[in-house]
């Protein structure tokens, strides 16, 4: 589910439909948008994807948006779909949200590539996701899955992810 162009109610409805079908959901929200991330997680999404990350400090702030204290500063509303409308015990709800909700950060800026190891080291990051299109555009280079800059970012991201015990990914590219 991508909330760009989709009304908030629609996103929440899609998340609930996915939950009813026992399907995980990850929603891409605007970078740094705390309110939307909190609403999406309260609706029951399993993860948040943030685009255009640049620094580990930015990523640490994004982690704080998705975690309750003491791991973050997400506000708590207990009567939400994610808590089964208060049917889940409060302590289980908090621990599940802090431990199981995924945070995916998009590596699509030169600054993020330069600091990829530091970004991967931020506690709470679940996956590094390369955005080859935006990355290529910000570098002024063509979007080509075999271009040296894409291969370099893939190798650097894979190494950082492996060293920090997290996952990485990217879209499958085909230029045919």
């Amino acid at each position: 589910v991508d909330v760009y162009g989709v009304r908030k109610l629609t996103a929440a409805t899609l998340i609930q439909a996915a939950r009813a079908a026992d399907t995980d959901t990850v929603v891409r929200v605007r970078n740094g948008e705390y309110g939307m991330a909190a609403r999406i997680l309260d609706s029951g999404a399993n993860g948040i994807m943030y685009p255009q990350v640049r620094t580990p400090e930015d990523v640490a702030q994004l982690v704080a948006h998705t975690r309750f204290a003491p791991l973050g500063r997400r506000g708590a509303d207990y009567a939400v779909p994610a808590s089964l409308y208060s049917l889940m015990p409060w302590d289980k709800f908090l621990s599940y949200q802090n431990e199981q909700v995924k945070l995916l950060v998009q590596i699509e800026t030169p600054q993020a590539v330069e600091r990829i190891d530091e970004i991967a080291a931020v506690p709470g990051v679940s996956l590094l996701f390369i955005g080859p299109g935006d990355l290529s555009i910000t570098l002024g280079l063509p979007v080509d899955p075999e271009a040296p800059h894409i291969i370099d970012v893939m190798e650097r991201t894979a190494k950082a992810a492996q060293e920090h015990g997290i996952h990485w990914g990217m879209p499958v590219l085909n230029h045919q």
Side-chain angles (χ1 to χ4, degrees), residues 38-51:
R39 272 182 260 151
I40 293 297
L41 292 174
D42 286 348
S43 295
N46 302 89
I48 295 291
M49 177 182 271
Y50 281 111

Side-chain angles (χ1 to χ4, degrees), residues 16 78-88:
Q16 288 303 298
Y78 188 47
V80 295
S83 71
L84 303 176
Y85 298 99
S86 305
L87 293 177
M88 183 184 294

